[in-house]
Amino acid sequence: MSVAFTKENDRDGTEANLQDRPISPHPNLVTAEGMAALEAALAAAKAAVQEARDAGEDAMGLALARAGRDARYYSARHASAELVGPPPADGRVHFGSRVTFDRDDGRRQTFRIVGEDEAEPAEGTISYVSPVARALMGKEVGDVAVVAGGEVEIVAIG
């Protein structure tokens, strides 16, 4: 390919034109653990920006672009975070509750309802805006909710 058809700064194809990470339109509710994780992620992103700059990354460098994108995201999420205290002990499912339920196929599952950034279903946490969490909110032990077309019965709330 002729040099005439390449950008001057296209050194090795690693220059980044990364789009910012999308910000959820939902309120940014977080647990105390979620707030700590946001603060740690923001600090790590800021450190990565500085590390990339110290390594001589220019404004087009991939490492600096990724670190900058993460720093902007975590800065925005930290600024919009709404810390929610422990759920009330009123026997109902709330943000922060750990809920155990039985599915109609015989499976028993337990999830803690948390903020969007701290949700990791494989680790037992789901976002409060997820369909499962929305179906369970406000319910009590013994109540039945419809989740993904099937019924679940709440057996414990903690």
Side-chain angles (χ1 to χ4, degrees), residues 2 4 15 21-22 31 36 39-40 42 45 47-48 52 54 58-59 62 90 94-95 103 115 127 130 137 148-149 151:
S2 168
E15 285 72 26
R21 294 173 62 178
T31 65
E39 290 169 350
L42 178 57
D54 291 347
D58 64 19
L62 185 59
D90 64 358
H94 296 278
F95 181 90
R103 291 188 176 266
S127 167
S130 70
M137 290 290 208
E151 290 188 346

Side-chain angles (χ1 to χ4, degrees), residues 109-132:
Q109 293 183 294
T110 301
F111 291 108
R112 183 171 181 226
I113 300 173
V114 298
E116 292 178 278
D117 289 323
E118 56 189 311
E120 290 290 338
E123 295 178 20
T125 56
I126 57 173
S127 167
Y128 80 101
V129 298
S130 70
V132 172

Side-chain angles (χ1 to χ4, degrees), residues 67-149:
R69 177 188 61 187
D70 288 348
R72 287 186 303 277
Y73 176 81
Y74 288 117
S75 183
R77 294 302 279 172
H78 186 264
S80 67
E82 298 176 32
L83 182 62
V84 178
D90 64 358
R92 295 189 178 278
V93 177
H94 296 278
F95 181 90
S97 294
R98 185 171 311 283
V99 185
T100 301
F101 54 89
D102 290 337
R103 291 188 176 266
D104 55 6
D105 65 4
R107 290 181 294 153
R108 177 167 282 187
Q109 293 183 294
T110 301
F111 291 108
R112 183 171 181 226
I113 300 173
V114 298
E116 292 178 278
D117 289 323
E118 56 189 311
E120 290 290 338
E123 295 178 20
T125 56
I126 57 173
S127 167
Y128 80 101
V129 298
S130 70
V132 172
R134 287 187 307 199
L136 298 175
M137 290 290 208
K139 303 277 193 228
E140 300 176 336
V141 171
D143 285 350
V144 174
V146 176
V147 174

Side-chain angles (χ1 to χ4, degrees), residues 11-91:
R11 296 183 296 265
D12 61 1
T14 61
E15 285 72 26
N17 185 16
L18 300 177
Q19 294 183 6
D20 279 343
R21 294 173 62 178
I23 302 289
S24 171
H26 302 286
N28 186 16
L29 305 181
V30 296
T31 65
E33 298 87 355
M35 181 64 85
L38 269 177
E39 290 169 350
L42 178 57
K46 287 180 177 180
V49 167
Q50 190 58 51
E51 184 178 312
R53 286 184 179 144
D54 291 347
E57 284 276 330
D58 64 19
M60 297 302 289
L62 185 59
L64 183 58
R66 283 184 179 155
R69 177 188 61 187
D70 288 348
R72 287 186 303 277
Y73 176 81
Y74 288 117
S75 183
R77 294 302 279 172
H78 186 264
S80 67
E82 298 176 32
L83 182 62
V84 178
D90 64 358

